[in-house]
Amino acid sequence: MATSLFRTALKGGLHKNYLRKTLRSSFNLEKILCIHTSSLLNVKGQEINMPSLSPTMTEGNIVKWLKKEGDKISAGDVLCEIQTDKAVMSFETEEEGVLAKILIPEDTKEIKVGSLIALMVAEGEDWKSVEIPDAKGVAPAASNAQEEPEESEQSTGGNTPGIELTMPSLSPTMSEGTIIKWHKQPGDKVSAGDVLCDIQTDKAVMSFETEEEGTLAKILLGDDSKDVKVGDLIALMVAEGEDWNDVKVPGKKKTKSSVAKEEDVQKPKVESQTSLEPTTRYSYDGYSPAVRSLLELYAIDGSTIKGTGKQGKLLKGDVLKHVTEKQLSIKPPRTGETSSLKSVTPTIVSRPTKGPSYVDIPLTGMRLTIAKRLTESKTMIPHAYATAESNIDSLLGLRKQLKLAGINVSVNDFIIKAVAIALKQCPLVNCHYVKDKVVLQQTSDISVAVATEAGLITPIVTDADGKALDEISAEIKELAGRARIGKLQLHEFQGGSFTISNLGMFDISEFSAIINPPQCGILAVGSGRPIIGLNGKPQTIMTATLSYDSRAISESAASDFLETLQGLLQMPASLLLTSPAAKKRVSN
């Protein structure tokens, strides 16, 4: 009966997701496995591709898988070991879920960067029923696998074979980049370690240094080339002494399937648009903004959750508990809705000739990454907040005295030093949250938020508790300057044990900030504002709000930290001192 209904539904053109829901509600899932001969009921997996683990890597060998199918994966876990052109390196993932299918086994050699090697699914989904993509999307798994015949476009240029320079992977999560500026021009001599060009990654603008020697012969992708995939050919070199003007430009290789695909794209499409997936629309009226946001994000009917607030009011914690218990995942936004399973006739909407003008500003890779991570942080980390006000008249007076002595330091330099010392005195706040464990940090490495044209970046002042105020000031100026022109190295902005975001210079009195995982705390600092004290005299008050991960930091620990910080800011003379132990640690 189930098989008959399934085939009848398919012939009737029912949407596969609607069919899946109907079948699951009408039959026991175990009883319909017998008709699971199509990918319609499979779980769509998240693709894991061969990474580029060095700037010159174009292919690699999978030496050993450290995770097996069905294993839970957390951000930072090592999936497998890969032999690159340099060494055997660990492939760490930044995704979370369950490893569903290993498509490329151990000891598979010469796998191209970007080739599909495995599949993941979200936690809670049935990893055993993951949908396997077409074979053409998977890297060859064995030496006897038949390769699809390739066709090459005709080469152009001269007769001298060139050394190919491809788009490098300059960060573990980089999949594409933008070439900002070439520092070498055709005909220039290139030595190992020379910077060829600046590339905008998903993290920052970074320099592409080559390990080859020779002469740059041809630039194939010039300045401002956007969305260049890792591994794409960007330039050609020749050996020193060869005629660089005679370099051969290789044609782009195509498989027969890709040629056929291009032909299909060129054919006019006459089919009408298929019907959209029927969805249920819930009403979110009457809920608080925080609760409504979570209900919409996870597509939950709020009436199905029991509220624990006054008179049964639904609270944010109730929704988060429901999400955790049901192991729900974020639902993608609906692209459209329809009230029935009828085909939708495509319509052409003409752009109005009159009306307000606007400008579309494309997001940089860095801003897209920031948006993704902050959304994950705000959604998955239970943020808690605590605020303290400090009288900074003594601090401002001390700063003025230092300036008269020729030492120019900012209020932010005092705050960095005070936070670093407070973290040492309150070590429970100086921590990371990794794989459901609290990892206490041994050093006070302060990340300082700096705004750049590409987005927000956080250069790190390491061992800030052991540095003098003028050292911190000089280091911050140097790091911030290089951050704004995209010249920071990875270790200079990745890591850190605690973050400070200061908007006081913009006359923002107070605000709250989003935690930068795996860190567990971030301090949002406002401007100093004059008030009249209880004694009738004017005072300058500064507000600082601590956002902390309540899984790792208790309310009492957060309160102790803010109380310690308040004392240091109100009696800043101690910030001029540097402990011998800290100074020794910094010098080492």
Side-chain angles (χ1 to χ4, degrees), residues 93-165:
T93 180
E94 295 192 359
E95 306 295 338
E96 294 185 351
V98 177
L99 183 60
K101 188 69 176 178
I102 295 175
L103 300 173
I104 306 300
E106 295 179 357
D107 297 326
T108 305
K109 304 184 184 302
E110 299 177 356
I111 305 169
K112 298 293 184 183
V113 168
S115 296
L116 182 60
I117 61 174
L119 294 169
M120 283 176 57
V121 296
E123 190 173 353
E125 292 185 328
D126 184 9
W127 61 270
K128 293 182 179 179
S129 63
V130 68
E131 183 177 334
I132 308 298
D134 295 338
K136 63 184 179 182
V138 183
S143 58
N144 59 356
Q146 295 183 352
E147 294 186 0
E148 189 176 4
E150 292 182 341
E151 296 180 0
S152 298
E153 293 180 355
Q154 186 175 0
S155 301
T156 58
N159 299 314
T160 303
I163 302 170
E164 296 186 356
L165 298 176

Side-chain angles (χ1 to χ4, degrees), residues 259-274:
V259 173
K261 187 176 180 180
E262 289 181 3
E263 292 175 352
D264 290 339
V265 170
Q266 295 173 358
K267 292 179 182 178
K269 295 185 177 181
V270 296
E271 299 86 351
S272 63
Q273 183 178 346
T274 58

Side-chain angles (χ1 to χ4, degrees), residues 339-544:
S339 59
S340 63
L341 293 176
K342 297 178 181 179
S343 61
V344 180
T345 304
T347 58
I348 299 175
V349 180
S350 59
R351 184 183 296 274
T353 56
K354 294 182 180 180
S357 59
Y358 59 89
V359 177
D360 289 329
I361 302 177
L363 292 179
T364 63
M366 183 190 294
R367 287 191 183 275
L368 288 171
T369 301
I370 291 171
K372 176 184 176 184
R373 303 209 170 201
L374 291 184
T375 300
E376 290 175 349
S377 172
K378 192 63 176 174
T379 304
M380 305 308 296
I381 295 177
H383 283 57
Y385 306 93
T387 300
E389 293 184 341
S390 304
N391 183 338
I392 59 171
D393 283 335
S394 297
L395 188 151
L396 295 176
L398 179 58
R399 178 176 177 243
K400 186 179 293 186
Q401 293 178 22
L402 291 174
K403 189 173 183 179
L404 292 175
I407 302 174
N408 291 315
V409 293
S410 67
V411 172
N412 201 48
D413 299 329
F414 280 95
I415 295 171
I416 292 171
K417 180 68 178 285
V419 167
I421 294 175
L423 289 174
K424 279 294 180 182
Q425 296 181 15
C426 306
L428 295 180
V429 179
N430 192 26
C431 63
H432 285 178
Y433 190 83
V434 181
K435 299 179 183 178
D436 296 328
K437 293 181 180 179
V438 178
V439 182
L440 297 181
Q441 303 299 297
Q442 301 303 312
T443 57
S444 293
D445 299 333
I446 309 300
S447 303
V448 182
V450 175
T452 70
E453 291 184 0
L456 200 67
I457 195 167
T458 52
I460 302 168
V461 181
T462 57
D463 290 301
D465 61 305
K467 293 178 178 176
L469 286 170
D470 56 343
E471 289 182 84
I472 293 174
S473 179
E475 188 170 342
I476 279 293
K477 289 176 182 176
E478 194 266 340
L479 287 171
R482 288 196 289 117
R484 293 188 176 99
I485 60 175
K487 295 296 183 182
L488 289 179
Q489 300 296 318
L490 277 175
H491 70 275
E492 292 176 319
F493 63 88
Q494 285 190 343
S497 60
F498 189 91
T499 298
I500 296 174
S501 180
N502 190 345
L503 295 180
M505 67 285 295
F506 300 110
D507 204 25
I508 302 298
S509 58
E510 60 179 289
F511 67 104
S512 59
I514 300 176
I515 298 169
N516 181 25
Q519 295 178 12
C520 295
I522 180 170
L523 190 72
V525 181
S527 61
R529 64 188 189 280
I531 66 168
I532 301 298
L534 296 176
N535 57 4
K537 297 181 179 180
Q539 298 178 352
T540 305
I541 297 298
M542 184 187 72
T543 301

Side-chain angles (χ1 to χ4, degrees), residues 49-356:
N49 298 322
M50 171 64 78
S52 178
L53 300 176
S54 76
T56 57
M57 176 180 171
T58 58
E59 61 185 19
N61 306 334
I62 295 180
V63 178
K64 182 179 180 181
W65 282 95
L66 302 181
K67 293 285 186 180
K68 60 180 182 294
E69 295 175 1
D71 283 357
K72 181 180 177 181
I73 297 174
S74 302
D77 283 357
V78 176
L79 292 182
C80 61
E81 293 178 345
I82 295 175
Q83 172 74 55
T84 72
D85 57 336
K86 304 295 183 186
V88 176
M89 303 181 69
S90 297
F91 174 26
E92 297 183 3
T93 180
E94 295 192 359
E95 306 295 338
E96 294 185 351
V98 177
L99 183 60
K101 188 69 176 178
I102 295 175
L103 300 173
I104 306 300
E106 295 179 357
D107 297 326
T108 305
K109 304 184 184 302
E110 299 177 356
I111 305 169
K112 298 293 184 183
V113 168
S115 296
L116 182 60
I117 61 174
L119 294 169
M120 283 176 57
V121 296
E123 190 173 353
E125 292 185 328
D126 184 9
W127 61 270
K128 293 182 179 179
S129 63
V130 68
E131 183 177 334
I132 308 298
D134 295 338
K136 63 184 179 182
V138 183
S143 58
N144 59 356
Q146 295 183 352
E147 294 186 0
E148 189 176 4
E150 292 182 341
E151 296 180 0
S152 298
E153 293 180 355
Q154 186 175 0
S155 301
T156 58
N159 299 314
T160 303
I163 302 170
E164 296 186 356
L165 298 176
T166 58
M167 172 63 81
S169 178
L170 299 175
S171 78
T173 57
M174 176 180 171
S175 59
E176 60 185 18
T178 298
I179 298 175
I180 303 297
K181 181 182 179 181
W182 282 93
H183 294 288
K184 296 287 187 179
Q185 299 301 320
D188 287 355
K189 182 180 178 182
V190 178
S191 301
D194 284 356
V195 175
L196 291 182
C197 59
D198 291 333
I199 295 173
Q200 170 76 58
T201 73
D202 59 335
K203 304 288 186 184
V205 177
M206 304 183 69
S207 299
F208 174 27
E209 299 181 2
T210 181
E211 298 184 6
E212 307 292 341
E213 294 186 351
T215 303
L216 185 61
K218 184 77 173 179
I219 294 175
L220 301 176
L221 296 176
D223 294 351
D224 297 324
S225 296
K226 301 181 184 298
D227 302 329
V228 183
K229 300 291 184 184
V230 169
D232 283 359
L233 185 61
I234 61 174
L236 294 167
M237 285 175 55
V238 295
E240 190 173 356
E242 292 184 330
D243 185 3
W244 61 270
N245 283 307
D246 191 47
V247 69
K248 179 192 289 187
V249 179
K252 188 175 181 180
K253 293 182 179 181
K254 297 182 178 180
T255 63
K256 288 185 177 180
S257 61
S258 64
V259 173
K261 187 176 180 180
E262 289 181 3
E263 292 175 352
D264 290 339
V265 170
Q266 295 173 358
K267 292 179 182 178
K269 295 185 177 181
V270 296
E271 299 86 351
S272 63
Q273 183 178 346
T274 58
S275 60
L276 299 174
E277 177 184 356
T279 57
T280 303
R281 189 182 186 93
Y282 301 118
S283 174
Y284 299 119
D285 296 336
Y287 297 110
S288 69
V291 171
R292 183 169 61 249
S293 176
L294 284 173
L295 292 176
E296 291 176 347
L297 192 63
Y298 289 93
I300 304 172
D301 182 1
S303 63
T304 62
I305 306 174
K306 182 180 180 180
T308 59
K310 292 183 179 180
Q311 298 180 347
K313 184 178 181 180
L314 191 63
L315 304 179
K316 178 181 177 181
D318 300 329
V319 183
L320 289 174
K321 181 180 178 182
H322 178 79
V323 169
T324 303
E325 290 177 348
K326 301 296 184 181
Q327 296 183 334
L328 301 180
S329 58
I330 297 174
K331 304 297 182 184
R334 293 188 292 270
T335 57
E337 294 182 352
T338 180
S339 59
S340 63
L341 293 176
K342 297 178 181 179
S343 61
V344 180
T345 304
T347 58
I348 299 175
V349 180
S350 59
R351 184 183 296 274
T353 56
K354 294 182 180 180

